[in-house]
Amino acid sequence: TLCLNPSSQDVQWMSLVESTNWLSMTRLILSAAWQTAFYVHVHKLPVVLHCSHGWDRTSQVAGIAELLLDPYYRTREGFSCLVEKDFMAFGHPFHTRCAHGEGRGDSGPSASKDSSTSSTNEGQISPIFIQFLDCVYQLVHQYPEMFEFNTKYLLLLSEHVYSCRFGTMLCDTEREREVVASIRQRTHCLWEFLDSREDLVNPHFVSSETKLWMSQSTLLRNVTLWIDRFCMHSPKSTLRDLPPELEFVQKQQQRKIISSLSNGGGYDLNELKTKDDYATLCLMKAYQEVENWKQIAKERQEELDALKNSDHRNTPPQVSTETALTVKVTNNKDEDENIQKEQQVDG
C-alpha cells in the first residue's frame, strides 16, 4: 500500500519503506542463507533447515544458499531447476499462498462455506515466493556478472506467478499438478517462455565455477527496495525516463521479441520497465553503432578493392626487369651482327 499511496511523503520515503519491515525480513532471510552457506563452505558441515511447515522459509533459505554455493543455479537452466526442486517438489502451496482464482471471501478449492474456515484460509495468503525472488534480486543487483539472467527475468517471473497465464506454478502439490489437473499437458510452460526471451539474458555474465562469496555485512547493507516490482503501478514516477533515442532502441527490441516469440501466445506491447533499462539500452545502442561502423568500413573496403581492380585493368602491362635485360642483350647482339655484315660488304 505504501508504493500505491499517492499521498506518501517523498521526503520520508526510505524511512517509510523501512517501517514496513519488508527489507528487514529480506535481510533476515539473506542472513540465514549466508550462515548456511558459511557452515557448508568453510566448516564443511551439513546443515538441517526446517520451518514450521517445511515449504516456506525452508525453501527460501535453502534456495538462496544454493545460489551462493553452486554456479549452476545461477544460470537460467539451473535457476528453473532450483525452483522446481526446492519449491514445487517440496510442496510449496502456490494456490494457497497466492490465492489463484479466488477473491477475498470467495469459495474455492482451498476455501469452505464456513466463515471461520474462510478467514483461516485467507490468513494463509502470503507472498513467500515473491520474497524469495526479492532476495534473488538483491544478489543479482549486487553481483550482476555472476548470473546468466538479469533483473527483468525475475520481474517477469514475479508477474506470471499471479497472472495464471502459465500452468507451471498452479495448484498446491505435485500430485494436483500432474495427476488431478494434468497441468503439464494442458498449459504452456513458464520456463520455456522465459528461455525464448533474448532480452532476459545478462550480457555481462561471466561463466565460472567459483562460489558467490562476500562478507555478510556487504550483502546485508546493500539491500534495497525492488523498485521494478513494488513501484510498478505507483501513481508517482520512480524510474528514470528514457531519452527519445533510447526509446527508439527499446521499440526496436520489442519488435524483435514479438517476431521471435513462438510460445505462450501473444505478447504485451506495454513492456515491463526496470531500473537497469537505461544502462542496458545504452549498451544496445553502442552495439548497434559498432555494427553500423563495421558495415561502413566493409563497404569502404569493397570500394577501394574495386578501384584497385579498375586501375589494374587500365594500366598497360609492365615488363619485368629480367625480361627487359634479355631483350636489351638480344638487341645488342643483333646490332653487332649487322655491323660485321656491313664491314664485310665494304671490304
Side-chain angles (χ1 to χ4, degrees):
T1 57
L2 173 63
C3 296
L4 300 178
N5 186 2
S7 60
S8 58
Q9 297 295 323
D10 297 332
V11 176
Q12 302 174 350
W13 173 251
M14 289 310 300
S15 62
L16 292 173
V17 171
E18 287 289 350
S19 65
T20 63
N21 290 326
W22 179 266
L23 296 183
S24 299
M25 291 299 299
T26 303
R27 293 188 187 97
L28 283 175
I29 298 169
L30 289 172
S31 175
W34 186 92
Q35 293 179 52
T36 301
F38 177 79
Y39 281 107
V40 173
H41 174 54
V42 177
H43 295 293
K44 312 299 180 183
L45 294 174
V47 178
V48 177
L49 299 173
H50 201 286
C51 60
S52 57
H53 292 85
W55 53 52
D56 287 336
R57 304 299 175 198
T58 306
S59 299
Q60 289 177 332
V61 174
I64 299 299
E66 290 173 74
L67 284 172
L68 296 174
L69 293 172
D70 195 337
Y72 169 70
Y73 293 123
R74 297 195 291 269
T75 64
R76 291 188 295 171
E77 178 185 354
F79 187 72
S80 63
C81 177
L82 178 70
V83 174
E84 292 274 355
K85 174 175 66 72
D86 286 338
F87 281 89
M88 298 178 180
F90 268 71
H92 178 73
F94 280 96
H95 177 85
T96 301
R97 291 290 184 258
C98 302
H100 287 153
E102 297 181 23
R104 187 173 295 275
D106 291 349
S107 59
S110 61
S112 172
K113 293 182 179 179
D114 182 54
S115 60
S116 61
T117 308
S118 179
S119 299
T120 303
N121 288 331
E122 287 181 4
Q124 295 297 319
I125 299 174
S126 179
I128 297 296
F129 190 70
I130 297 299
Q131 198 170 45
F132 166 74
L133 293 181
D134 193 353
C135 293
V136 179
Y137 167 81
Q138 304 300 330
L139 295 176
V140 177
H141 180 68
Q142 294 183 35
Y143 301 92
E145 72 282 358
M146 301 295 288
F147 291 84
E148 186 186 12
F149 50 89
N150 54 24
T151 56
K152 185 174 287 187
Y153 180 96
L154 300 172
L155 179 61
L156 203 58
L157 176 57
S158 69
E159 277 290 281
H160 289 302
V161 171
Y162 291 95
S163 72
C164 298
R165 177 180 171 185
F166 303 91
T168 307
M169 296 180 182
L170 297 180
C171 303
D172 282 339
T173 63
E174 287 282 88
R175 181 180 179 276
E176 289 183 7
R177 278 188 290 271
E178 300 296 337
V179 180
V180 178
S182 300
I183 291 296
R184 197 182 301 274
Q185 291 77 25
R186 298 169 56 191
T187 61
H188 293 286
C189 178
L190 176 58
W191 307 120
E192 292 179 358
F193 171 75
L194 295 176
D195 289 342
S196 66
R197 295 280 300 266
E198 295 181 1
D199 60 321
L200 304 182
V201 180
N202 178 18
H204 306 292
F205 172 63
V206 179
S207 179
S208 66
E209 298 298 325
T210 60
K211 293 174 174 57
L212 177 54
W213 201 244
M214 75 295 289
S215 64
Q216 189 177 24
S217 60
T218 301
L219 175 62
L220 301 185
R221 292 185 180 187
N222 285 283
V223 170
T224 182
L225 180 66
W226 189 5
I227 292 177
D228 305 339
R229 169 68 190 177
F230 300 114
C231 295
M232 184 189 307
H233 305 293
S234 174
K236 293 185 177 181
S237 177
T238 309
L239 296 176
R240 176 178 180 175
D241 294 331
L242 296 176
E245 60 271 17
L246 292 186
E247 287 185 353
F248 176 74
V249 175
Q250 188 178 48
K251 290 180 179 178
Q252 284 183 325
Q253 183 187 28
Q254 291 178 3
R255 295 191 192 101
K256 182 179 179 181
I257 295 170
I258 295 171
S259 61
S260 63
L261 282 181
S262 58
N263 298 325
Y267 177 73
D268 189 3
L269 282 175
N270 297 321
E271 173 64 25
L272 298 176
K273 295 181 179 180
T274 66
K275 189 177 180 180
D276 300 327
D277 279 348
Y278 185 84
T280 302
L281 293 173
C282 284
L283 182 63
M284 290 182 60
K285 183 182 178 183
Y287 282 154
Q288 289 183 358
E289 291 180 352
V290 169
E291 293 299 325
N292 291 337
W293 281 111
K294 285 183 178 179
Q295 184 63 29
I296 292 173
K298 182 180 179 181
E299 293 175 356
R300 295 293 182 270
Q301 186 62 40
E302 291 176 351
E303 291 178 1
L304 289 174
D305 294 339
L307 288 173
K308 289 180 180 179
N309 293 332
S310 63
D311 292 342
H312 181 70
R313 287 193 297 268
N314 296 331
T315 303
Q318 297 181 356
V319 181
S320 63
T321 305
E322 294 180 356
T323 305
L325 290 175
T326 304
V327 172
K328 184 175 181 180
V329 170
T330 304
N331 292 337
N332 291 336
K333 289 182 178 179
D334 293 339
E335 290 178 359
D336 293 340
E337 291 179 354
N338 292 332
I339 292 173
Q340 290 178 0
K341 287 179 180 180
E342 289 178 358
Q343 291 177 350
Q344 290 177 358
V345 171
D346 292 340

